[in-house]
Amino acid sequence: MVKVEKGDVIRLQYTGRIKETGEIFDTTDEEIAKKAGIYKENGVYGPVPIAVGAGHVIKGLDEALEGLEVGKKYEIEVPPEKGFGKRDRKLIKTFTLGQFRRQGIIPFPGMPVEIETESGRKLKGRVLTVSGGRVRVDFNHPYAGKHLVYEVEIVEKIEDPIEKVKAMIELRLPRVDSDRVIIEVGEKDVVVDFTQVKDEVDRGTLALGEILLESDLKFLGYEEITFKPNVEELLKPPEVEEAEEAGEVEGTEETTEKVEEAQDTVEKKAKEIPEAQAEESTEGEEPEEQAEGDGVTEGAKRDGDNRGRAGREIQEEYQGQENKENNDEENHQQEGDKGLRG
């Protein structure tokens, strides 16, 4: 009888549904995904590798995995506060109709809206009502307040150190052939060499994967982590890399600035990645109701031709309001769609 403990690397098969409605919202089973209408052509199906306690799955599920036996099937119920959060009236904001129309957007009930704050934090919501020149937007997660039921099976507990690292690569970079990645592990150090596969993967994607992998490997107990090539090398402009290899130029200040800028962008994306805490709770966010004239930052979006339009005017109106809320910023953690995989 093999039981799972915090820190173990496992392969998990699961299907998650909403207790109140029976709706399946996430699964690792391809056939179930197709039947439930949530199948994704580019999705990766099959047991997912995770580290228990690392936050790779939603909090309530992550906690419940500890103590379970490998090979047995379980049904786990997750309460709202450990799932997608409780519904919070303070996450329903009111905007003026003009704030949308000035961006060429005609809001309607049910329309998805994405807001990007001045600090770069993204909030996703849905229009509730459009009436009397006012637009009410709900920034609660669609499943906020719902109880979740997971049917799970721990298919495997991975013991070999190198296989554990490979499993984390599979989680973060599922399109990379981990068998072609050279891995060297010591007691507290690890070297991960992507040289053989680096030209088969988008460099920005690989850099992002390395940033996420570093966090995972630290969770597994490694203190010194080396990637080949590293993030800085991956983000270096190709023409500069070629010239340096030919011995024609040395790195310039301008090149360094470009690399640092690219690295900042990738690190920002890493923070936004919905790591598979599967759309974690928004509990604790308490944005103030928006008075007339207040707004949100650029990025109000909707499906259709207007998706992706910058809400510059809305951004300028919101900045004053956001400054008032800076003291609460650290507790603000709306993370949008956050499925199991990172």
Side-chain angles (χ1 to χ4, degrees):
M1 180 179 67
V2 180
K3 288 190 175 183
V4 170
E5 299 177 358
K6 184 175 181 178
D8 286 343
V9 177
I10 64 172
R11 292 187 184 279
L12 180 69
Q13 187 87 283
Y14 75 90
T15 294
R17 58 182 170 85
I18 303 301
K19 181 180 180 180
E20 289 82 353
T21 63
E23 175 191 353
I24 292 175
F25 62 88
D26 197 9
T27 183
T28 57
D29 188 303
E30 184 173 350
E31 291 304 314
I32 291 178
K34 289 178 178 178
K35 291 178 182 178
I38 60 172
Y39 175 75
K40 296 179 181 178
E41 288 289 341
N42 295 325
V44 178
Y45 292 93
V48 59
I50 68 166
V52 178
H56 293 150
V57 294
I58 203 165
K59 183 179 179 181
L61 176 58
D62 207 3
E63 293 177 350
L65 292 174
E66 295 181 44
L68 300 189
E69 294 181 28
V70 176
K72 291 185 66 174
K73 295 182 179 180
Y74 296 88
E75 184 172 280
I76 297 169
E77 184 169 328
V78 178
E81 58 269 23
K82 293 186 177 182
F84 298 122
K86 296 179 179 179
R87 285 196 61 79
D88 186 350
R89 289 181 58 195
K90 293 179 181 179
L91 291 178
I92 299 176
K93 294 186 178 184
T94 301
F95 305 97
T96 65
L97 183 58
Q99 287 173 294
F100 284 85
R101 287 185 170 173
R102 284 194 288 271
Q103 312 309 313
I105 299 173
I106 301 175
F108 57 86
M111 184 188 84
V113 176
E114 183 177 281
I115 306 301
E116 182 172 348
T117 67
E118 185 181 7
S119 62
R121 179 168 43 83
K122 292 182 179 180
L123 306 178
K124 292 186 179 183
R126 191 169 296 274
V127 173
L128 290 179
T129 61
V130 181
S131 178
R134 298 287 184 272
V135 181
R136 294 176 69 237
V137 180
D138 186 358
F139 289 99
N140 282 286
H141 188 279
Y143 298 140
K146 304 295 185 183
H147 291 76
L148 315 177
V149 177
Y150 282 94
E151 295 177 2
V152 306
E153 178 184 0
I154 299 171
V155 177
E156 178 187 5
K157 178 178 174 180
I158 301 172
E159 302 286 0
D160 182 78
I162 289 181
E163 292 303 317
K164 288 182 179 181
V165 177
K166 284 186 178 182
M168 293 298 94
I169 293 173
E170 183 182 335
L171 173 68
R172 298 306 188 181
L173 296 162
R175 305 297 180 186
V176 169
D177 182 357
S178 61
D179 288 333
R180 295 175 58 204
V181 178
I182 299 174
I183 301 168
E184 299 175 10
V185 297
E187 185 175 347
K188 292 293 182 180
D189 62 288
V190 59
V191 177
V192 182
D193 189 343
F194 288 106
T195 303
Q196 293 186 28
V197 298
K198 68 181 177 67
D199 294 329
E200 301 171 10
V201 186
D202 174 78
R203 290 195 164 205
T205 299
L206 187 54
L208 179 59
E210 288 188 354
I211 292 172
L212 296 172
L213 271 169
E214 182 175 12
S215 176
D216 296 333
L217 295 175
K218 284 181 178 179
F219 177 80
L220 295 183
Y222 293 105
E223 297 174 359
E224 184 178 340
I225 301 163
T226 303
F227 291 108
K228 298 180 181 180
N230 60 32
V231 171
E232 182 177 344
E233 291 167 338
L234 287 169
L235 297 178
K236 189 173 294 183
E239 61 275 14
V240 174
E241 185 177 19
E242 291 173 5
E244 287 181 350
E245 288 177 353
E248 297 174 2
V249 298
E250 294 183 359
T252 64
E253 183 175 342
E254 181 180 0
T255 298
T256 301
E257 288 178 356
K258 287 182 178 180
V259 172
E260 289 177 349
E261 183 179 343
Q263 188 167 350
D264 288 343
T265 300
V266 171
E267 288 176 350
K268 181 180 176 182
K269 284 186 178 181
K271 292 178 181 178
E272 294 175 354
I273 286 252
E275 292 295 65
Q277 295 156 354
E279 311 207 51
E280 197 171 68
S281 165
T282 62
E283 188 178 10
E285 291 195 56
E286 298 185 353
E288 298 177 10
E289 289 287 335
Q290 300 293 314
E292 182 175 3
D294 288 334
V296 289
T297 62
E298 122 178 3
K301 300 178 181 178
R302 77 178 185 104
D303 288 332
D305 294 338
N306 291 321
R307 176 170 288 279
R309 294 193 182 190
R312 178 62 58 190
E313 192 169 36
I314 292 179
Q315 179 183 32
E316 292 170 352
E317 290 178 294
Y318 179 69
Q319 286 174 354
Q321 178 69 20
E322 187 181 46
N323 289 337
K324 295 177 185 178
E325 298 178 355
N326 276 343
N327 290 336
D328 296 325
E329 184 81 9
E330 295 300 322
N331 294 325
H332 234 331
Q333 300 193 5
Q334 174 79 21
E335 293 188 39
D337 289 341
K338 207 176 199 189
L340 185 66
R341 302 185 183 245

